[in-house]
Amino acid sequence: VFIMTLEELVGASTTGKKMETVSSALESLLVAAQRRDCLTVGVYESAKLMNVDPDSVVLCVLATDAEDSDDIALQIHFTLLQAFCCDNDINILRVSGLRRLAQLLDEETADENGNGKEPRDLHCLLVTNPPVEPLQCQALSDISSFCSESRCRNQWVPALELQAR
């Protein structure tokens, strides 16, 4: 006989809801940041920005899917980016669901003439907060709280799964 305590039952349902809320907040934040030109896309572009202006970065999103697990170079980049984020108090999230990110950021791989264009590297996304007219949105606040709560539970790099729609 398997018996769950009330805390386990309530905790399980609230954790699932919390993850949904944070996933939605992340999606909203990324779209808003892209609209305001506060989104840096790509591992190399992100590393360059963090080297030049780490204080402007408020969130680092590292995205992979199962097929990326054998990419040693990508894993090394992620390790270095994570270390840099931890040293500079930058919130960081690991995310799976590159297809959903491409949908969100409207990454078309072919233009209207059918010509293929090189898709951007969505493995690393940085959200920056400009000093003039900073991002003031609930989504950023929700994600910051989630990251802070995760650190309190010794989960330094929380992970989310984005669902393709």
Side-chain angles (χ1 to χ4, degrees):
V1 175
F2 180 72
I3 300 171
M4 287 182 82
T5 65
L6 180 59
E7 290 83 13
E8 289 170 325
L9 282 171
V10 171
S13 68
T14 57
T15 301
K17 284 246 186 287
K18 177 92 174 159
M19 293 307 234
E20 267 180 54
T21 303
V22 174
S23 293
S24 294
L26 178 62
E27 290 184 6
S28 301
L29 177 63
L30 292 176
V31 170
Q34 184 176 33
R35 267 193 224 119
R36 297 222 12 227
D37 203 25
C38 297
L39 187 68
T40 300
V41 178
V43 172
Y44 294 109
E45 293 81 355
S46 297
K48 280 194 295 191
L49 175 67
M50 284 202 272
N51 198 30
V52 175
D53 189 11
D55 294 337
S56 71
V57 179
V58 292
L59 178 67
C60 176
V61 177
L62 301 177
T64 57
D65 284 332
E67 59 268 14
D68 297 316
S69 62
D70 292 339
D71 187 337
I72 301 301
L74 184 62
Q75 299 308 322
I76 290 169
H77 287 300
F78 278 10
T79 300
L80 294 171
L81 287 165
Q82 285 174 198
F84 189 89
C85 288
C86 289
D87 286 348
N88 288 278
D89 294 324
I90 297 169
N91 286 324
I92 185 167
L93 284 174
R94 293 281 308 234
V95 172
S96 62
L98 283 166
R99 185 178 299 138
R100 178 63 185 147
L101 282 176
Q103 287 174 345
L104 277 173
L105 303 176
D106 203 25
E107 287 294 308
E108 295 296 325
T109 52
D111 63 17
E112 58 275 354
N113 299 325
N115 299 322
K117 86 176 177 195
E118 191 65 33
R120 294 187 295 173
D121 170 18
L122 298 176
H123 288 105
C124 185
L125 306 169
L126 294 183
V127 176
T128 54
N129 212 356
V132 178
E133 290 188 49
L135 285 169
Q136 302 276 332
C137 63
Q138 187 60 44
L140 180 57
S141 178
D142 290 347
I143 291 167
S144 296
S145 295
F146 174 71
C147 290
S148 180
E149 289 168 17
S150 296
R151 283 192 297 275
C152 288
R153 293 190 310 269
N154 285 331
Q155 185 183 8
W156 293 98
V157 184
L160 289 175
E161 188 174 332
L162 299 178
Q163 300 297 323
R165 296 186 180 153

